[in-house]
Amino acid sequence: STPIAVVCGITAAARKGALIKRGASLETLAELEVLAFDKTGTLTEGKFQVVGMECSFGVQEQIVLRLAAALESKSSHPLAAAIVNEFTGCVTEMATSQILTLPEVSHLELHEGQGISGVVEGHLVQIGNLEFLHRITSKTLSKYMNEKYIAWSKESKTVIFICVDNKLAIMIALADILRPNSMATLDWLRNLRVHSAMITGDNTRTAMAVKDKLGLDECIAEMKPQDKLAWVKQRQIGIKDTDDGNYDNDQPTGHLFCLSTCCLHRGCHSLRCRENKKSTVGMVGDGVNDGPALASANVGIAMGAGGTALAVEAADVALMTNNLAKIPEIVELGRCCRRIVF
Ligand code: ADP
Ligand code: MG
């Protein structure tokens, strides 16, 4: 039978807007050592706005945006809505017959952690990150575009590329806003001695800019869903260092950065984090791409409002109001219950 303190704990958490599915999760929360956050839609609102655009030579912006909007209207990714809005916001300059409906899309394909593609009005349209662009064309970015890409990323903007018929047409910068109490939440977790990490599919520079703003202990970027899962598993079993200082082949492929302070006591010597300790790992996420990691973590926490159903299902806890500050609160609650029960 469930101890009364645990029942009270779950009830108290629910009243705060954190639904805990099982009593055992409350105990796991009490023991939490490492907490990984997804970036987009978790630490940030996931409400993007187009803030910059660069067209390749000879490209007609509106024509390309219309094709792009048609394709992105098929996606539930937070970036997609911004592209559609950008098009519908600037359609007044177009002939009315063209603005009434978006064209049909065939051969639709979602490319996990990279982008989306499909055929619109006989044109192959592909939209995604730099890695995706490199898969599409062997042409490198012009010096101007590359400088812009780097500058935008450093400003923590997400940059995506629209290709039409295998040629880069438009590079777009999108800005997202941080959730209001993400910084306070991370401070609070630090006080509770929980190591914080951000694991994201976005590019390294953008991720680093967010990490610096928020003061996370660690940040790994350019991760696919399977990399996020692998990262969680490795933290659970403890990371094995190889002699040459490189990670084993089964390590996540993302780029790893680590801020010394919080890691030091666990033997972090450089930018490479030499984490050897087995840890109780939590994961916070909102997207389909977080599902495997949420399910594998000792405690998975989903953004309950606006997060995908898959994330909520895979998680042990759902934050009904997306208020991140509820996380340290339920960690404290868990610790409090543990003191009563054990
Ligand atoms: P995160 O881990 O930050 O939630 P995702 O794994 O969902 O990010 O996506 C990683 C990257 O893939 C995005 O930053 C974006 O560049 C690209 N991407 C994914 N889906 C789309 C889409 N529908 N349109 C454009 N780009 C996309
Ligand atoms: Mg996300």
Side-chain angles (χ1 to χ4, degrees), residues 47-91:
K47 288 181 194 139
F48 286 96
Q49 265 191 330
V50 174
V51 290
M53 225 186 285
E54 289 296 335
C55 295
S56 291
F57 184 74
V59 163
Q60 284 179 287
E61 191 179 293
Q62 308 247 340
I63 291 176
V64 172
L65 274 181
R66 180 168 160 275
L67 301 178
L71 181 60
E72 291 288 23
S73 70
K74 307 291 174 202
S75 164
S76 62
H77 200 280
L79 289 169
I83 303 288
V84 176
N85 289 342
E86 182 63 20
F87 172 69
T88 47
C90 72
V91 286

Side-chain angles (χ1 to χ4, degrees), residues 275-292:
E275 172 71 75
N276 285 309
K277 195 173 163 289
K278 261 181 158 176
S279 305
T280 302
V281 182
M283 165 79 198
V284 196
D286 71 313
V288 174
N289 58 343
D290 304 317

Side-chain angles (χ1 to χ4, degrees), residues 35 37 43 180-192 323-328:
L35 185 57
F37 291 87
L43 288 172
N181 45 21
S182 46
M183 207 184 290
T185 299
L186 293 167
D187 283 346
W188 194 345
L189 286 169
R190 192 167 305 113
N191 284 333
L192 295 173
N323 183 352
L324 291 171
K326 297 297 159 192
I327 299 171

Side-chain angles (χ1 to χ4, degrees), residues 183-205:
M183 207 184 290
T185 299
L186 293 167
D187 283 346
W188 194 345
L189 286 169
R190 192 167 305 113
N191 284 333
L192 295 173
R193 305 207 176 282
V194 175
H195 177 95
S196 64
M198 182 170 78
I199 58 179
T200 174
D202 210 342
N203 90 69
T204 303
R205 273 191 208 91

Side-chain angles (χ1 to χ4, degrees), residues 132-165:
F132 197 47
L133 178 73
H134 287 329
R135 271 177 51 191
I136 295 162
T137 166
S138 54
K139 266 197 174 170
T140 50
L141 286 179
S142 68
K143 189 166 176 284
Y144 177 76
M145 285 264 205
N146 191 48
E147 276 166 13
K148 232 9 267 222
Y149 174 78
I150 292 172
W152 277 341
S153 305
K154 282 185 179 163
E155 292 163 9
S156 70
K157 288 161 189 156
T158 295
V159 186
I160 58 171
F161 301 87
I162 304 176
C163 295
V164 179
D165 298 326

Side-chain angles (χ1 to χ4, degrees), residues 10-51:
I10 289 179
T11 313
R15 223 177 280 129
K16 292 173 193 289
L19 295 186
I20 301 175
K21 294 185 194 166
R22 281 176 299 274
S25 303
L26 203 58
E27 208 182 312
T28 313
L29 280 164
E31 284 155 15
L32 195 66
E33 294 171 287
V34 174
L35 185 57
F37 291 87
D38 161 57
K39 178 176 76 73
T40 315
T42 302
L43 288 172
T44 72
E45 299 259 11
K47 288 181 194 139
F48 286 96
Q49 265 191 330
V50 174
V51 290

